[in-house]
Amino acid sequence: MTTETEGQAAGSSPAAAAADASQAELATADALSYEQARAELVEVVQRLESGGSTLEESLALWERGEELAGICRAWLEGARARLDAVLEEEEEEAAEEDEEER
């Protein structure tokens, strides 16, 4: 279920839509922080690279790695969307200041 604000953000720009998708992925992802997901992803990759796992174990590790990569991606996309919003706001403020000076 999306809130009215989320619905408006999703319709406003691709970055906002990506941020909403990222937030949805984060909400369903055991609420891991970026650092936790990245650390676990590093462990998964090391286990896969070391070999010695059965096919079933390797597939399970691969799937977990994909999930963790998605969590990390969602955090990074969310951070990018927040930065873009701040930069856009600063640009608008600068433009308003320029207009006032004229």
Side-chain angles (χ1 to χ4, degrees):
M1 179 164 76
T2 60
T3 65
E4 183 177 333
T5 304
E6 289 172 339
Q8 291 171 348
S12 62
S13 72
D20 285 346
S22 298
Q23 292 302 319
E25 189 168 5
L26 288 173
T28 61
D30 301 332
L32 291 176
S33 70
Y34 171 81
E35 292 78 9
Q36 291 169 325
R38 185 180 180 284
E40 187 178 342
L41 180 56
V42 167
E43 290 174 20
V44 166
V45 169
Q46 288 172 344
R47 287 180 61 191
L48 284 169
E49 288 178 342
S50 70
S53 298
T54 66
L55 178 58
E56 284 297 315
E57 291 169 337
S58 294
L59 287 172
L61 285 169
W62 180 269
E63 290 171 351
R64 181 60 177 162
E66 288 291 329
E67 180 182 356
L68 293 165
I71 293 168
C72 289
R73 188 177 315 107
W75 275 108
L76 293 172
E77 289 171 355
R80 169 55 69 190
R82 289 173 37 206
L83 286 171
D84 288 345
V86 168
L87 292 173
E88 185 177 320
E89 186 178 311
E90 288 178 355
E91 288 174 1
E92 289 172 2
E93 289 174 2
E96 288 175 8
E97 288 176 9
D98 287 344
E99 288 179 18
E100 289 176 4
E101 290 177 1
R102 291 181 185 173

